[in-house]
């Protein structure tokens, strides 16, 4: 009996140790790592910094993003597609805009909530003061990890969604740009500035994809594109202004100058100029594509107007046909004796 009891206790301890090891491994994938507890005026506050273990968390939410993508596609977009009966090319663009519309809506609301609760909008100077911003709150770090996971999941989705070859290069461009800018803001400890820029970008992109969805449902809905055009230009100007204010002037006057990898300080002239150059080139490229898009729209509109005028001019005047009861004269039906026929009264329904 003692031997049996001892073996049972040993088995229970073994199961408990295996469960604890499994729980630790699961937490590594689910929960953000590198937490530090500090004392502040609010009491004990848990903050986070980044490290190589973040790759495990990103990988987990990478698969979560793929599952959510499939759910939105099957239970929302596919049902709408069956009703609209779109062509194959329009169907691909509709699915793309539908997925991005859901993502941009969630991300813009989430980022706006973080900006309000963290006080970055009410106090813009906090975007560059006390740099480097190594320690992040849970919601800020979790936001960045899920953003990286989403844009990484968009790469295999190009294969799963069977995107056409001519569309792959365009989608790869903006996916890589998002990954580059989000990773740079996260790794260079520019998370506060990055949050504001992502919020502006997501709101602008949300307007574009809503306009495109409305256009696919009814091609007469084109006013949303005009509203998006205004927000697009405003977003580009706001992004450049904020970057020069925060990085070009704010960090340049900061006391923490120099490169210190252990402290997470990347406030050097070379890094600041590289970041500004990267943002300026990206915004210039986006503006160039926007201007080309608007010029193409204007040319297509002018061409449609010219075709309509030509078709209207070529249409011959229809000759007035004689009726068996009378004839037309100045647009009025006359009887054979010249008297106008009595109009028949319609009964009300």
């Amino acid at each position: 009996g003692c031997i049996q009891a001892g073996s049972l206790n040993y088995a229970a301890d073994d199961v408990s140790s295996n469960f604890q090891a499994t729980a630790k491994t699961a937490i590594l994938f689910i929960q953000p790592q590198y937490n530090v507890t500090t004392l502040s005026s609010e009491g004990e506050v848990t903050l986070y910094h980044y490290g190589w273990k973040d790759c495990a968390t990103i990988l987990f939410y990478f698969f979560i993003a793929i599952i959510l993508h499939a759910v939105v596609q099957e239970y929302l977009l596919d049902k709408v597609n069956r009703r609209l009966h779109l062509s194959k090319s329009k169907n691909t663009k509709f699915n793309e805009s539908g997925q991005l519309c859901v993502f941009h809506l969630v991300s813009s609301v989430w980022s706006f909530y973080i900006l309000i609760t963290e006080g970055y909008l009410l106090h813009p100077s906090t975007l560059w003061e006390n740099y480097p911003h190594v320690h992040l709150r849970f919601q800020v770090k979790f936001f960045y990890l899920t953003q990286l996971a989403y844009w990484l999941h968009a790469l295999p989705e190009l294969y799963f969604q069977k995107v056409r070859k001519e569309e792959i290069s365009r989608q790869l461009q903006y996916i890589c740009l998002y990954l580059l800018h989000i990773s740079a803001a996260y790794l260079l400890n520019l998370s506060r500035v990055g949050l504001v820029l992502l919020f502006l970008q997501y709101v602008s992109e949300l307007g574009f994809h809503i306009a495109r969805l409305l256009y696919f449902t009814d091609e007469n809905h084109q006013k949303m594109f005009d509203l998006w055009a205004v927000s697009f230009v405003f977003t580009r100007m706001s992004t450049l202004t904020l970057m020069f204010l925060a990085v070009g002037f704010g960090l340049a006057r900061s006391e923490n100058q120099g490169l210190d990898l252990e402290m997470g300080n990347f406030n050097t002239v070379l890094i600041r100029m590289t970041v500004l150059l990267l943002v300026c080139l990206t915004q210039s490229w986006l503006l160039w594509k926007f201007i080309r898009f608007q010029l193409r729209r204007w040319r297509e509109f002018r061409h449609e107007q010219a075709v309509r005028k030509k078709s209207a001019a070529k249409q011959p005047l229809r000759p007035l046909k004689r009726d068996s009861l009378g004839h037309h004269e100045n647009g009025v039906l006359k009887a054979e004796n010249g008297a106008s026929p009595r109009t028949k009264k319609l009964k009300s329904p």
Side-chain angles (χ1 to χ4, degrees), residues 29 42 88 134 175 207 239 254 304 341:
F29 286 90
E42 302 174 358
K88 188 174 181 181
V134 179
I175 291 172
T239 299
S254 177
E304 290 178 1

Side-chain angles (χ1 to χ4, degrees), residues 128-349:
W128 60 82
E129 288 180 349
N130 301 321
Y131 180 84
H133 307 136
V134 179
H135 296 101
L136 309 174
R137 292 183 182 271
F138 173 83
Q139 60 179 355
V140 178
K141 176 165 182 172
F142 189 64
F143 176 81
Y144 271 96
L145 294 181
T146 53
Q147 292 295 308
L148 291 171
Y150 179 86
W151 290 111
L152 283 173
H153 112 280
L155 295 174
E157 285 295 341
L158 296 177
Y159 173 77
F160 296 147
Q161 295 294 320
K162 298 179 181 180
V163 179
R164 296 185 302 172
K165 292 182 179 180
E166 56 269 22
E167 290 288 328
I168 290 179
S169 60
R170 178 185 63 84
Q171 295 195 28
L172 278 176
Q173 286 176 356
Y174 73 75
I175 291 172
C176 293
L177 282 175
Y178 272 114
L179 287 172
L180 177 62
H181 285 75
I182 295 173
S183 301
Y186 185 63
L187 297 176
L188 296 178
N189 294 317
L190 295 171
S191 57
R192 299 181 181 181
V193 180
L195 268 172
V196 181
L197 296 184
L198 281 176
F199 168 71
L200 294 172
Q201 178 65 21
Y202 286 159
V203 171
S204 175
E205 288 294 301
L206 177 63
F208 171 74
H209 290 293
I210 290 177
R212 195 154 76 157
L213 289 176
L214 292 176
Y215 174 77
F216 287 142
T217 57
D218 186 359
E219 294 186 358
N220 294 323
H221 289 151
Q222 296 192 8
K223 293 184 179 180
M224 279 295 297
F225 283 110
D226 298 330
L227 295 176
W228 164 75
V230 176
S231 68
F232 182 88
V233 176
F234 174 77
T235 302
R236 304 286 78 77
M237 297 298 104
S238 301
T239 299
L240 292 174
T241 303
L242 181 62
M243 285 302 298
F244 278 102
L245 180 63
V247 179
F249 294 97
L251 293 182
R253 298 180 180 181
S254 177
E255 297 179 357
N256 297 327
Q257 299 284 336
L259 179 63
D260 191 346
L261 298 179
E262 293 184 359
M263 296 296 296
N265 188 8
F266 300 94
N267 192 9
T268 64
V269 177
L270 178 61
I271 294 177
R272 289 200 305 269
M273 299 287 31
T274 303
V275 170
L276 285 175
L277 182 62
L278 174 63
V279 173
C280 289
L281 288 177
T282 304
Q283 301 306 309
S284 301
W285 178 70
L286 291 174
L287 277 173
W288 176 69
K289 289 191 66 177
F290 171 78
I291 292 172
R292 286 185 60 190
F293 171 76
Q294 294 298 330
L295 288 176
R296 186 171 66 250
R297 265 188 77 199
W298 181 74
R299 284 195 297 265
E300 290 176 354
F301 176 75
R302 292 295 299 270
H303 179 69
E304 290 178 1
Q305 292 294 326
V307 170
R308 289 177 182 176
K309 288 181 180 179
K310 288 182 180 180
S311 61
K314 289 181 179 179
Q315 287 180 354
L317 295 175
R318 295 180 179 178
L320 296 176
K321 295 182 179 180
R322 281 190 170 272
D323 198 285
S324 59
L325 297 176
H327 62 278
H328 290 84
E329 185 177 310
N330 295 328
V332 180
L333 182 65
K334 296 288 185 179
E336 290 294 335
N337 57 1
S340 299
R342 183 177 296 177
T343 57
K344 186 178 180 180
K345 294 184 179 179
L346 298 175
K347 295 182 179 180
S348 59

Side-chain angles (χ1 to χ4, degrees), residues 33-50:
Q33 302 298 306
Y34 304 104
N35 56 313
V36 178
T37 303
T38 59
L39 293 176
S40 65
S41 58
E42 302 174 358
E44 290 188 356
V45 178
T46 302
L47 302 175
Y48 296 82
H49 57 94
Y50 64 79

